[in-house]
């Protein structure tokens, strides 16, 4: 087994300890994991020997202080009490797409919920956006969440206020799969106003976190959390985002990882759509519903239905007939000869087409002239 993967329980304990010692996404720690493995890192931190390569004296001292306070057995027991578990690379349930993060890959993941994270992540889409969203944004996110879940796709988001919460609720309304990726411990309800939503995710879906039980979020942890959301999924949809928005960080991570990046357009007068529009002006794809999202992230043949305007009878007219109809003036009758000249059509053919148009309800005869029937609904056929 490679140094960076999880094997016996001692390996799991070591990685669980690292989630309390190092910050999420610590690439230097990721490099050490690939080279030495978790046991040798902990042994080095526990000894009086030199620091591992690349660590300053100040940083090494900080890591050693954290290592002294780490009690992975207690963390694992606390997670188990809340119905949780700890996953690490090499486990059957580990989502292998997280390995695309390289040295920024999570040391392990704390998970609450009974479904398999790996299985649910195989067909998943991130739906993210502004916390202080508009009614339009909340409605759109909930609709996307419900439609994606109905089609068997897992909705991944951050369980935050606004777009995140709406997407989760939309998926759960259809009893569909959804994953909340937290910037705190899986036993911490943050934001506090989403305590009920977070508990529902733990009971009916999945909660995921890099941080050990009891840890609380910081601003930097929210930013780092976004890379996990992007890596877990086949693509990221930004519903609403201002020009400075954490959801745009998720989109940029998705782009760097080669995932699909999508945006939902909004009013050009809305500052909460300005970030999405900038995203769309770059490399993101415009989407408006679940079918268009799945067309991008799904398999060959998952095509969104073609969009067409309502069909009208005029669309079905032949070329000659349409030309005669177009030549009729809007406000007064004309003779067949006048119409034939205007339509560049022989008079006999123009007369035949006029009789056809009268049968279809487009024109009427008045004396020696012909004119349009002024009925606004005459062209509609459903």
């Amino acid at each position: 087994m490679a140094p960076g993967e999880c094997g016996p329980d001692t390996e799991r304990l070591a990685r669980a300890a690292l989630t309390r010692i190092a910050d999420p996404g610590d690439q230097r720690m990721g490099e050490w994991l690939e080279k030495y493995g978790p046991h040798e890192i902990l042994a080095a931190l526990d000894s009086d020997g030199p620091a591992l390569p690349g660590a300053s004296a100040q940083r090494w001292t900080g890591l050693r202080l954290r290592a002294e306070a780490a009690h992975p057995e207690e963390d694992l027991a606390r997670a188990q009490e809340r119905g949780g578990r700890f996953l690490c690379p090499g486990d059957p349930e580990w989502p292998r797409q997280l390995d695309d993060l390289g040295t920024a890959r999570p040391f392990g993941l704390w998970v609450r919920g009974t479904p398999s994270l790996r299985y649910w992540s195989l067909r998943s889409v991130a739906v993210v956006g502004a916390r202080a969203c508009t009614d339009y944004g909340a409605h759109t996110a909930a609709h996307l969440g419900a439609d994606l879940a109905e089609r068997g796709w897992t909705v991944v988001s951050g369980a935050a206020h606004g777009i995140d919460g709406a997407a989760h609720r939309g998926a759960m309304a259809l009893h569909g799969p959804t994953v909340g990726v937290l910037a705190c411990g899986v036993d911490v309800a943050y934001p506090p106003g989403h305590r009920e939503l977070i508990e529902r995710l733990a009971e009916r879906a999945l909660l995921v976190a890099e941080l050990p039980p009891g840890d609380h979020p910081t601003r930097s942890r929210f930013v780092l959390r976004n890379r996990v959301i992007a890596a877990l999924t086949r693509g990221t949809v930004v519903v609403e985002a201002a020009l400075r928005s954490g959801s745009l960080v998720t989109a940029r991570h998705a782009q760097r990882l080669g995932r699909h990046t999508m945006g939902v357009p909004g009013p050009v007068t809305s500052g909460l759509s300005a970030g999405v529009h900038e995203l769309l002006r770059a490399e993101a794809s415009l989407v408006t519903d679940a079918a268009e999202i799945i067309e991008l992230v799904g398999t060959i043949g998952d095509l969104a239905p073609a969009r067409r305007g309502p069909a009208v009878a005029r669309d079905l007219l032949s070329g000659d007939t349409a030309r005669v109809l177009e030549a009729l003036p809007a406000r007064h009758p004309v003779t067949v000869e006048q119409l034939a000249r205007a339509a560049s059509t022989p008079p006999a053919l123009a007369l035949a087409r006029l009789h056809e148009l009268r049968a279809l309800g487009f024109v009427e005869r008045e004396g020696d002239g012909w004119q349009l029937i002024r009925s606004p609904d005459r062209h509609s056929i459903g």
Side-chain angles (χ1 to χ4, degrees):
M1 182 168 291
E5 294 188 348
C6 205
D9 288 343
T10 53
E11 294 282 324
R12 192 174 307 279
L13 279 171
R15 279 186 171 270
L18 290 178
T19 67
R20 194 166 286 282
I21 295 170
D23 291 326
D26 186 329
Q27 291 186 273
R28 179 66 68 188
M29 183 65 74
E31 292 170 2
W32 292 338
L33 274 171
E34 287 186 355
K35 186 173 182 179
Y36 305 112
H39 277 308
E40 192 166 338
I41 295 171
L42 290 183
L45 288 168
D46 193 42
S47 72
D48 294 328
L52 291 178
S56 65
Q58 181 178 349
R59 180 155 187 250
W60 191 249
T61 299
L63 290 174
R64 291 189 65 190
L65 289 172
R66 286 188 178 184
E68 291 174 4
H71 302 288
E73 297 92 344
E74 295 178 10
D75 287 334
L76 289 168
R78 182 172 178 177
Q80 190 171 12
E81 288 173 2
R82 299 300 302 275
R85 57 194 179 277
F86 182 68
L87 305 179
C88 52
D91 284 347
E93 195 185 342
W94 181 260
R96 293 178 183 173
Q97 59 268 40
L98 289 177
D99 300 344
D100 293 345
L101 289 169
T103 54
R105 179 181 69 175
F107 316 134
L109 289 175
W110 300 89
V111 180
R112 286 178 67 193
T114 56
S116 166
L117 177 61
R118 181 181 180 185
Y119 178 76
W120 270 21
S121 300
L122 291 175
R123 284 164 50 91
S124 62
V125 177
V127 180
V128 298
R131 288 175 173 82
C133 65
T134 65
D135 290 343
Y136 160 78
H139 173 81
T140 301
H143 189 72
L144 289 176
D147 280 359
L148 285 165
E150 187 176 29
R151 289 165 167 81
W153 285 78
T154 300
V155 175
V156 179
S157 199
H161 289 302
I163 298 301
D164 290 15
H168 287 307
R169 292 187 181 96
M172 286 194 288
L174 271 290
H175 304 284
T178 184
V179 178
V181 182
L182 304 181
C184 53
V186 288
D187 60 338
V188 177
Y190 193 91
H194 271 186
R195 180 179 300 275
E196 180 181 354
L197 172 64
I198 289 170
E199 287 304 314
R200 285 175 63 205
L201 285 167
E203 293 169 5
R204 296 173 47 188
L206 282 173
L207 284 176
V208 175
E210 293 183 82
L211 294 161
D215 255 23
H216 290 269
T218 62
R219 181 181 294 275
S220 63
R221 288 172 174 178
F222 280 113
V223 175
L224 291 166
R225 178 269 312 268
N226 293 337
R227 84 193 194 288
V228 176
I229 294 177
L232 269 178
T233 55
R234 292 194 186 180
T236 293
V237 183
V238 184
V239 177
E240 276 189 326
L243 290 171
R244 288 174 57 88
S245 172
S247 55
L248 297 180
V249 175
T250 310
R252 287 192 285 270
H253 279 303
Q255 287 175 335
R256 284 194 290 269
L257 291 166
R259 310 292 199 261
H260 291 282
T261 309
M262 297 156 277
V264 177
V268 296
T269 54
S270 172
L272 283 173
S273 288
V276 182
H277 296 160
E278 284 299 304
L279 196 65
L280 292 172
R281 280 168 52 84
E283 297 181 0
S285 300
L286 186 151
V287 293
T288 61
D289 59 22
E292 293 176 349
I293 295 170
I294 294 171
E295 181 177 76
L296 291 171
V297 301
T299 56
I300 295 173
D302 289 336
L303 301 178
R307 298 183 183 275
R308 297 184 179 88
V312 295
R314 183 186 290 265
D315 297 335
L316 305 178
L317 299 177
S318 67
D320 289 338
T321 307
R323 188 161 58 252
V324 169
L325 181 63
E326 292 292 334
L328 278 166
R331 298 184 179 279
H332 58 84
V334 294
T335 64
V336 173
E337 288 75 13
Q338 291 173 322
L339 183 60
R341 284 195 299 271
S344 188
T345 303
L349 181 59
L351 181 60
R353 297 294 176 257
L354 284 168
H355 284 296
E356 179 183 336
L357 289 167
R358 181 167 64 175
L360 293 171
F362 283 96
V363 302
E364 61 185 355
R365 189 168 186 172
E366 185 168 320
D368 293 333
W370 294 80
Q371 64 183 12
L372 293 171
I373 295 176
R374 294 186 179 86
S375 174
D377 300 326
R378 70 181 184 276
H379 302 312
S380 177
I381 62 172

